[in-house]
Amino acid sequence: MRAALYTRSASVSQQSAEIHDPFMACRTFAEREGIDVVAAFEDAGASGVSSVDRPGFHNLMQAAKTGVVDVVICEGLDRLSRSQADILDIFEALRILDVSVITLTDGRVDGMQVCENGAPDTRRLKAMQRKAMTEHQGNGTSPSAPEPEVA
């Protein structure tokens, strides 16, 4: 099995530790599993919100399209993209090319994991909403709730 490693870091200041360490962890995983690493791609200082400005990602996808790799290994799905819609598109494009995805956090990724990864955690979202409302009320930037009427 031939693998491409991929990693991305959001800021240039993070790139040395955040790019090098995941590459080493992915390479160690591949060696342990008997997977031959044939390529490694990185995007230092690149946001995961969009794949438009990520040449390393585009090179990874080109390697998949040309049949150079059988599997993509990365630290987590969020390294491929922070957008759930993009993750679904990327996963489907790789699946059609018969290229698997393995992450250090999830192992071999399947379609169900991709969908579950994007499922909103309702409690977490509600807690974030309450925190934001509390902060806005504390700053006086949010209209206060109307006082309950006394009967």
Side-chain angles (χ1 to χ4, degrees):
M1 189 177 304
R2 300 162 301 154
L5 308 182
Y6 179 76
T7 193
R8 172 193 60 75
S9 69
S11 70
V12 176
S13 64
Q14 296 172 322
Q15 74 185 28
S16 63
E18 286 194 15
I19 294 287
H20 182 70
D21 292 344
F23 266 146
M24 291 305 296
C26 290
R27 196 172 301 279
T28 299
F29 171 84
E31 288 172 6
R32 187 176 63 241
E33 297 296 316
I35 301 171
D36 185 26
V37 175
V38 297
F41 304 99
E42 67 181 273
D43 285 306
S47 169
V49 173
S50 170
S51 61
V52 173
D53 294 326
R54 292 193 284 148
F57 174 77
H58 292 289
N59 292 337
L60 168 71
M61 294 305 288
Q62 186 60 34
K65 289 175 186 170
T66 58
V68 174
V69 299
D70 305 303
V71 63
V72 172
I73 301 174
C74 55
E75 189 176 26
L77 285 174
D78 66 330
R79 297 301 86 197
L80 292 173
S81 179
R82 293 259 185 210
S83 162
Q84 182 61 23
D86 281 352
I87 290 288
L88 288 168
D89 289 343
I90 293 164
F91 183 79
E92 183 63 11
L94 291 171
R95 187 193 65 76
I96 289 169
L97 296 168
D98 203 24
V99 175
S100 302
V101 176
I102 298 175
T103 69
L104 301 182
T105 56
D106 298 311
R108 187 171 297 273
V109 177
D110 62 27
M112 186 59 82
Q113 287 170 300
V114 171
C115 291
E116 287 173 356
N117 186 56
D121 178 346
T122 305
R123 283 182 295 208
R124 182 180 56 83
L125 292 174
K126 287 186 184 249
M128 288 171 49
Q129 182 182 27
R130 280 192 304 273
K131 180 179 178 194
M133 290 302 293
T134 301
E135 289 173 356
H136 286 295
Q137 287 173 352
N139 293 336
T141 58
S142 176
S144 59
E147 292 293 321
E149 292 182 25
V150 179

